[in-house]
Amino acid sequence: MAGRYDYTHAERKEKILHFFGQLLFWGASLTAVVFVAWALVHFSLEKTNVADASMEPTLSVGDEILINTLTYRLRSPRRFEVIVFEQGDAEHSFYNIKRVIGLPGERVQIRDGKVYIDGEELEELVNVDPMLLPGLANYELTLGEDEYFVLGDARNNSEDSRYATVGNVKREDIVGKAWIRLNKFGFVNQMNRKEE
């Protein structure tokens, strides 16, 4: 019959268009997820191993940690966070891992094994031994506007800001925040904290 509409052909065409629309949507979604995952891994995460015992008992020699390299692009390091920074010259640089104690512009001193910030005793959030050697912090140090004073958690077995070989850490040398311990899973900044 003339003028008769073929509904089966129209339904089939609609199903085919719907199928290809869904295929295109899922393909674009998968591509976006893969791109975001790739960008996260390449631009915000890095892996390193702990090379010395200066952060015991928080981190041990050989522990594998993920470094969050994005956090400090968005904000400044905070007191008590564990950071990873580059140390040494361009030819022989290596990563060092320590805890932030003094912030830019603050005055830091170590007296009787304790840390003082701007003349006030610092209440430690983690379990540490009293320091036997104050090093450079025997006298009050004033941090520059881009400098951080860092200490290892193994206070009597750590080469840190108390010593000229490390000194105050400049913001530009900070690689990122020590984020996750991989081999014995844990969030680094939640480990070795004092009981509240």
Side-chain angles (χ1 to χ4, degrees):
M1 281 176 119
R4 199 166 173 199
Y5 186 75
D6 187 354
Y7 288 103
T8 56
H9 178 71
E11 284 177 13
R12 196 174 327 123
K13 185 177 178 183
E14 187 178 315
K15 284 182 180 179
I16 290 171
L17 286 174
H18 179 73
F19 171 77
F20 281 111
Q22 288 289 323
L23 191 64
L24 184 63
F25 171 78
W26 287 110
S29 297
L30 182 62
T31 302
V33 166
V34 168
F35 175 75
V36 168
W38 177 85
L40 280 173
V41 168
H42 284 83
F43 296 111
S44 65
L45 295 176
E46 196 173 326
K47 189 171 108 175
T48 192
N49 289 341
V50 177
D52 62 35
S54 69
M55 284 300 294
E56 289 277 357
T58 307
L59 295 169
S60 302
V61 175
D63 280 351
E64 291 181 320
I65 62 167
L66 269 184
I67 307 165
N68 181 335
T69 59
L70 180 63
T71 298
Y72 298 143
R73 291 182 192 158
L74 304 174
R75 67 167 176 82
S76 297
R78 297 177 181 152
R79 192 179 331 277
F80 299 119
E81 289 182 334
V82 179
I83 63 168
V84 179
F85 59 97
E86 284 189 297
Q87 187 179 337
D89 54 36
E91 241 180 86
H92 303 96
S93 67
F94 59 93
Y95 284 171
N96 205 334
I97 303 167
K98 300 288 185 254
R99 190 175 297 277
V100 173
I101 300 298
L103 302 174
E106 292 182 333
R107 298 183 327 273
V108 180
Q109 186 176 17
I110 297 171
R111 296 192 317 254
D112 302 321
K114 297 175 183 164
V115 178
Y116 289 80
I117 304 288
D118 294 334
E120 299 287 324
E121 184 181 333
L122 179 67
E123 188 177 328
E124 298 276 6
L125 292 184
V126 293
N127 296 298
V128 293
D129 293 328
M131 285 169 279
L132 301 175
L133 297 171
L136 298 173
N138 189 41
Y139 302 100
E140 193 172 71
L141 303 169
T142 301
L143 300 173
E145 290 306 310
D146 67 339
E147 292 181 331
Y148 295 84
F149 188 89
V150 298
L151 293 172
D153 286 358
R155 297 287 162 86
N156 295 308
N157 186 29
S158 175
E159 194 172 342
D160 44 42
S161 288
R162 293 173 288 169
Y163 302 97
T165 52
V166 176
N168 298 332
V169 176
K170 294 197 176 298
R171 173 74 187 258
E172 66 192 34
D173 294 330
I174 298 174
V175 175
K177 180 178 179 179
W179 187 35
I180 296 174
R181 182 179 61 190
L182 296 172
N183 51 321
K184 296 174 275 186
F185 186 83
F187 289 97
V188 175
N189 287 284
Q190 298 304 315
M191 297 186 292
N192 188 32
R193 293 179 75 90
K194 287 183 176 177
E195 296 293 324
E196 305 219 4

